[in-house]
Amino acid sequence: PYVVNQLGSALFYVTLGNSELSLAVPICNGLALVFSILTSFVIGGERPDDNPLQTVLGSALVVLGVALCVLSSSSEENGNSTDNMTMEQQ
């Protein structure tokens, strides 16, 4: 578990250095929660006591939110490059 945690921390700092802060922080924080849940289940054998459906649904919503952030960022980049090309052609 310690090695996995350290790899996650290293990935966090690499991501912060190579991408936009407004995109990197929500992705890393959201996925850290999901990876913590998965790691505790796989390595520790821990299962959510109250309602496992809530845990799975919450994790799925976090992943969906991260996907929306990534898609939004990539569509903005594509949209800006398309606008620049159209202005240059005129």
Side-chain angles (χ1 to χ4, degrees), residues 23-38 53-71:
L23 184 63
V25 171
I27 289 173
C28 289
N29 288 337
L31 291 180
L33 173 67
V34 173
F35 286 128
S36 295
I37 292 169
L38 292 175
L53 180 62
Q54 286 180 342
T55 304
V56 171
L57 181 62
S59 298
L61 289 174
V62 167
V63 171
L64 178 66
V66 167
L68 288 174
C69 286
V70 170
L71 288 174

Side-chain angles (χ1 to χ4, degrees), residues 66-84:
V66 167
L68 288 174
C69 286
V70 170
L71 288 174
S72 172
S73 175
S74 66
S75 69
E76 286 177 4
E77 289 175 4
N78 291 339
N80 289 341
S81 64
T82 306
D83 291 341
N84 291 338

Side-chain angles (χ1 to χ4, degrees), residues 5 15 18 21 34-35 41 44 46 59 74-75 77 86 90:
N5 185 6
T15 305
N18 293 329
L21 190 61
V34 173
F35 286 128
F41 177 72
E46 295 181 24
S59 298
S74 66
S75 69
E77 289 175 4
T86 344
Q90 294 175 355

Side-chain angles (χ1 to χ4, degrees), residues 2 9 13 17 21-22 30 47 50 53-55 84:
Y2 179 74
S9 295
Y13 288 114
L21 190 61
S22 62
R47 291 192 170 86
D50 297 337
L53 180 62
Q54 286 180 342
T55 304
N84 291 338

